[in-house]
Amino acid sequence: MLRSVVSQSLSGFPEWLPEQRIVEQQAIDRLRASFELHGFAGIETRAVEPLGQLLRKGEIDKEVYLLHRLHGAEEPRTDRTLGLHFDLTVPFARYVVENAGHLEFPFRRYQIQKVWRGERPQEGRYREFTQADIDIVGLAELPVHYDLEILAVMAQALGRLELPPLRMLINNRKLVQGFYEGLEISDIPAVLRAVDKLEKIGPDAVGQLLQAEGLSPGQIQACRDLAAISGSDDSVLDRVSALGVSSAQLDQGLTELAAVLAGVSQIQQPGLTIAASLNIARGLDYYTGTVYETQMQGYESLGSVCSGGRYDALARKGKMTYPGVGLSFGLSRTYGPLLSRGLVTGSRKSPSCVVIAVVSEERRAASNEVAAQLRERGIACEVAPAADKPGKQIRFAERRGIPYVWFPAELTDSGQAAVRDIRSGDQVPAQADRWQPPAADLHPQPVWTEPQPAT
Amino acid sequence: MLRSVVSQSLSGFPEWLPEQRIVEQQAIDRLRASFELHGFAGIETRAVEPLGQLLRKGEIDKEVYLLHRLHGAEEPRTDRTLGLHFDLTVPFARYVVENAGHLEFPFRRYQIQKVWRGERPQEGRYREFTQADIDIVGLAELPVHYDLEILAVMAQALGRLELPPLRMLINNRKLVQGFYEGLEISDIPAVLRAVDKLEKIGPDAVGQLLQAEGLSPGQIQACRDLAAISGSDDSVLDRVSALGVSSAQLDQGLTELAAVLAGVSQIQQPGLTIAASLNIARGLDYYTGTVYETQMQGYESLGSVCSGGRYDALARKGKMTYPGVGLSFGLSRTYGPLLSRGLVTGSRKSPSCVVIAVVSEERRAASNEVAAQLRERGIACEVAPAADKPGKQIRFAERRGIPYVWFPAELTDSGQAAVRDIRSGDQVPAQADRWQPPAADLHPQPVWTEPQPAT
């Protein structure tokens, strides 16, 4: 079952075999269905943005792919030079501002598209990859209950994907920043960066970094104590308060975290847990309130597979701000390693559930007619390529993993049309206007080669 | 109802409002469903190919977008420089050769993806656009019955799109080339190019071009006579034979065209006609047998919206050839003008069918629970953003075109939960575990602002 990534010829640009694409496509379909059930409108934005737009948030470290035309004149690079988008947030923010007059706020949208980054590829990190984003964006204001809702929507969507166990983690930028303010720390971004290294370099090394930043032993201890707090109920808030630090910003952060945590217990998804984890620092630079990360059990080295947070202003135009909250699921980051390690693949190579055997080229139209009747009732099928011996027509189906072969009356002993389950060899008389395969056989399904968590 | 294309800021990169995207998305879904019912496997290829691959078929006139990295060193352009694909055929051919060992032939695949061309934009011609391709590719051989099948599959798929009337036209490269051979014409490509201008410049001007090519009056008349032949039955073949020209190649072409025409009468799609039209010359350079074009009534200036044909070798590796036959539907070319002229848009701005009103922020969880029960049964809905007065919550739905508002018991006179059709004002008591909207309201639908042909 183990299959390697199809094309190694362009590192970082994975492509999948038809049976693997079935897995990815089903994931996209399920995400989309979940998002739409929650009223998220699907949009697509163009693949390109002017460079000035792409670097607007100071993302100059991103390795962007710029475009130039084969026959175009060489032009100096400017803000108007086109580059491929590296995420779906920047283009969405631009789309919201450009179309504000045509949109209704709060505007909820999902967007499942490819993005590109010219960075060094590694497992789960590609140069071309698919993201599935949901955001809710308001006009001037956006109530905090959306911080809970966006989490609930994504949790429900991810819960339908049959992935290894997921752990969604929450923190709040105001809480952490307010805590540091309460500690009278001056260079807060530097401390955030140091604390972010906790998992990587351990508490002692982080302590040394903080010492180098001029923090007192008491401040360092408080930073470590805060980062150690995690859990999924109100006790998290109590443990923060028990640290004896206070500031208006901290209070605001605690209130927001409380509002999200209060609803978390209602989000019941098999194979998915949600908890506050106050050591999450990554992304705090960009976000202004709630932040989210997600780890996939057994794949922690991939980093977060679903991240996001609250922006005070996803976009801004003149005096008008568009606050937003969103989550971005790394579809390629998650499925790439699972597919390329061969842990999941499709149950067959084709959408076809049935191959209609052909008696002779003269009788092909009769087999076409059987196929048309099955399709009429939603049964995917195809007609055999040639009027070969029955055994050869069966092997045609077998090689594709197609479970059934339909034999016209001329090819059966009984003289009645019949359908054979080629896995068991069972053959039963059948009529094209009523035969129905078991639901499990109707469409190809992902097949996991290792036991997955009960879902 | 008339809406302009959203973003004029980047000419040639159209983007759609949520209600417009609904139309495009439904078209994609219907195409996909049709293709899968016929056993076509979905694949995606990466957006980029090495320049050497892109120009392999001598397509040097194509205006390709090349990529370079923002922080990468300036490198001289080579065959390995990456460019964005300009169609889905070149990448598919490469994919087939690379993965031949993992694929089963004849291999039938569909591919619905964006492609890019750096050309001057005009109506229906964009720099970024979506194509929907189907191809069947064989190993060393591919029977001619697939020339008919690919046409039947695309006809059925297009027939489900509710487009203005479509006219699919067929010709055969062997027939035309063989006819010219039979006339002892020496420079056949030059004659093909001249005849291709028939519609544009008229028969007299074409006659002059052919005269300049050194053709005799008799040869010129025969070329014109052939180009004038069209129809959907066997009489087409008789009329070619009646011209008294003969060659082995012509016979082969007539046999192939006969095989396709014989099945055309069985392809019954409302709003779609299929006919042989022997003046189709465009693309004959690339194809080796059957060729297809499609015109949309009232939009002839867009050119062909669905084209394709038979290749003797879609791809080749060493001594192995992969003959194929395929059709490519220009989704953006077709829908772009319809959407930007405002002839079709979605029935609402949101997938939501219902807005659940909120009694108070404290009771939001109760409204969430109603929403969860509706979603459980496939009814898309969203909960109101704030516990505003009922009138304001109704307007929230109204502005989005969402047809129903759900009122919890606290908000109704009867003290029972109720659902209101805000178009009619009708309000009925309702229970979240059984209320069902009419099927027509369940999902947003395309709404045409001009009468469409009966479908």
Side-chain angles (χ1 to χ4, degrees), chain A residues 6 29 32 44 99 114, chain B residues 6 29 32 44 95 99 114:
Chain A
V6 167
D29 290 346
R32 207 184 120 195
E44 291 207 328
N99 300 297
K114 296 216 173 81
Chain B
V6 167
D29 290 346
R32 208 185 120 194
E44 291 207 326
Y95 178 95
N99 300 296
K114 296 214 171 81

Side-chain angles (χ1 to χ4, degrees), chain A residues 168-181:
Chain A
M168 303 188 83
L169 303 171
I170 320 165
N171 197 357
N172 187 292
R173 155 102 194 211
K174 293 194 188 86
L175 188 159
V176 176
Q177 178 146 350
F179 187 86
Y180 292 166
E181 282 171 17

Side-chain angles (χ1 to χ4, degrees), chain B residues 196-270:
Chain B
D196 189 29
K197 294 181 179 144
L198 260 175
E199 285 216 8
K200 217 174 193 173
I201 62 177
D204 290 343
V206 168
Q208 285 166 15
L209 285 176
L210 294 178
Q211 204 177 351
E213 285 294 328
L215 268 63
S216 70
Q219 286 174 319
I220 293 172
Q221 190 55 45
C223 288
R224 281 191 194 160
D225 288 346
L226 183 75
I229 295 174
S230 68
S232 52
D233 59 28
D234 280 356
S235 71
V236 167
L237 311 168
D238 299 337
R239 284 157 68 198
V240 177
S241 302
L243 295 179
V245 177
S246 73
S247 78
Q249 178 93 318
L250 172 59
D251 286 349
Q252 178 66 20
L254 282 167
T255 304
E256 291 181 8
L257 184 61
V260 177
L261 277 180
V264 158
S265 62
Q266 290 164 42
I267 305 174
Q268 299 287 348
Q269 287 299 325

